[in-house]
Amino acid sequence: MTRMSRARAARRIAAGAAYGGGGIGLLGAAAAGLLVAEVQLAKRHVGNGASPRPPSAEGVYGRAYDDPGAPPLRLTMLGDSTAAGQGVHRARQTPGALLASGLAAVAERPVLLRNVALPGAQSDDLDRQVSLVLADPELVPDICVIMIGANDVTHRLPPTRSVRHLSAAVRRLRTAGAEVVVGTCPDLGTIEPVQQPLRWLARRASRQLAAAQTIGTVEQGGRTVSLGDLLGPEFEANPRELFGPDNYHPSAEGYATAAMAVLPSICAALGLWPAEEERPDLSRREGFLPVARAAAEAASEAGTEVAAAMPTGPRGPWALLKRRRRRRVRACDPAPPTAADRTG
């Protein structure tokens, strides 16, 4: 599928989400049924995670930067098993811990991490998760990271419904005052036991949903980072390194790769990234594009960020596309938070 056709498909899905449509499918019914069956067989073959539940990484990171006069930054993870960190054994290997420790190092402030993500969740669970996050108006996060979409594809949640739920979640969080970064749908074509031609179909469905997620997120004031194309080729080329023991969820190295892509966007959303890196770099094909075109570009390129940039014009809303350099995550806490580190 070309980027222009992906942009058109993403616009149709996003429009259907905005206006209540629900009949636009990513795959034909027969192909979708085959894909679901294949993925379920793959899950049974490889298991469903290295442990029955992800390790808890909630707590305070970067205590070395503690300042009695400044409260810690609040980072909250929402989404599915990828956001929860399923597939690794240690809390410090989860994406939440990696992002919290990296953010603390950049901000030179402690970071309080909370995680309400649920393994197996689809986008229609985001309403419940957001309600948990916003239950106390005094504890609204500074930044929320949402990683969702894979289960929507494998369980055939209509893409318009998927995007509608995500857009509503972003809108509620932004209205409450939180910045939002969405890691879009990963590339399901990289799951090893899934064979061709279903790998191609899974990749196509994943990228279409990722592009539509970008449109819905940016229109509500959030920003997105493409995980599909970032993880896809690297997982495919290095399955033993980037997949966990179950060959389904990422390994510690896989989560670190994702965290390196998302961290710059978190820092930029909070105004912590160097100003010179916020200007478009034409040599890296960055710039202002109609949001649908930016969404299609991002779905095809590693670690690409899309954020709202200009008011709606004759060609629709515009966005800034950034191909941020992936930097090593420097963990300022070498171990997961102890009981003494955790907040009640």
Side-chain angles (χ1 to χ4, degrees):
M1 173 177 283
T2 67
R3 293 180 184 180
M4 290 305 295
S5 61
R6 186 178 299 124
R8 287 193 293 270
R11 276 197 300 266
R12 289 197 300 270
I13 294 168
Y19 295 107
I24 303 175
L26 295 174
L27 300 170
L34 285 171
L35 174 60
V36 172
E38 190 86 4
V39 170
Q40 294 305 319
L41 284 172
K43 282 186 176 182
R44 283 196 290 272
H45 176 69
V46 302
N48 194 28
S51 59
R53 65 179 60 179
S56 175
E58 290 190 328
V60 177
Y61 291 76
R63 286 187 175 275
Y65 304 113
D66 192 25
D67 180 353
L73 290 170
R74 296 181 180 276
L75 165 65
T76 298
M77 303 291 295
L78 304 90
D80 56 22
S81 58
T82 305
Q86 188 156 6
V88 295
H89 293 288
R90 297 178 176 85
R92 67 172 179 263
Q93 298 171 329
T94 63
L98 291 165
L99 291 172
S101 57
L103 177 58
V106 173
E108 297 187 345
R109 284 177 62 182
V111 174
L112 176 60
L113 172 66
R114 186 183 181 195
N115 198 323
V116 299
L118 178 68
Q122 301 174 49
S123 292
D124 56 9
D125 190 56
L126 287 175
D127 182 63
R128 181 192 64 83
Q129 294 183 28
V130 171
S131 294
L132 289 174
V133 172
L134 301 181
D136 187 342
E138 300 298 319
L139 300 177
V140 173
D142 296 287
I143 182 81
C144 292
V145 176
I146 303 174
M147 302 170 80
I148 198 84
N151 296 314
D152 295 6
V153 175
T154 61
H155 290 76
R156 290 188 289 179
L157 183 70
T160 50
R161 282 184 56 198
S162 176
V163 173
R164 190 181 310 135
H165 286 297
L166 176 60
S167 298
V170 174
R171 181 170 60 250
R172 289 177 64 193
L173 292 169
R174 293 292 292 127
T175 300
E179 297 291 340
V180 180
V181 175
V182 174
T184 55
C185 183
D187 185 351
L188 296 178
T190 60
I191 300 173
E192 279 197 310
V194 176
Q195 301 301 315
Q196 294 289 14
L198 294 180
R199 275 181 180 246
W200 180 84
L201 291 171
R203 175 162 293 144
R204 179 174 179 239
S206 302
R207 290 186 177 182
Q208 281 191 32
L209 180 57
Q213 287 176 318
T214 291
I215 295 175
T217 297
V218 169
E219 288 181 344
Q220 299 303 326
R223 60 182 75 200
T224 64
V225 178
S226 169
L227 296 184
D229 195 62
L230 171 77
L231 299 179
E234 296 188 44
F235 274 31
E236 207 163 32
N238 304 289
R240 297 279 72 81
E241 295 178 12
L242 293 176
F243 274 123
D246 62 2
N247 288 345
Y248 188 77
H249 292 98
S251 66
E253 290 81 4
Y255 280 130
T257 299
M260 281 190 289
V262 174
L263 179 61
S265 296
I266 291 176
C267 295
L270 293 172
L272 300 172
W273 216 234
E276 60 271 17
E277 293 210 10
E278 294 309 293
R279 292 191 289 270
D281 184 343
L282 298 181
S283 69
R284 302 178 68 215
R285 295 177 293 115
E286 297 180 346
F288 300 99
L289 297 169
V291 67
R293 183 177 162 194
E297 292 272 347
S300 302
E301 182 134 0
T304 305
E305 176 192 296
V306 179
M310 298 180 184
T312 299
R315 299 175 66 185
W318 285 65
L320 172 61
L321 183 144
K322 292 282 293 178
R323 294 178 170 90
R324 296 189 183 277
R325 295 176 180 86
R326 282 148 50 205
R327 301 181 174 187
R328 297 293 301 176
V329 175
R330 179 168 66 89
C332 55
D333 287 337
T338 64
D341 287 331
R342 301 182 192 280
T343 61

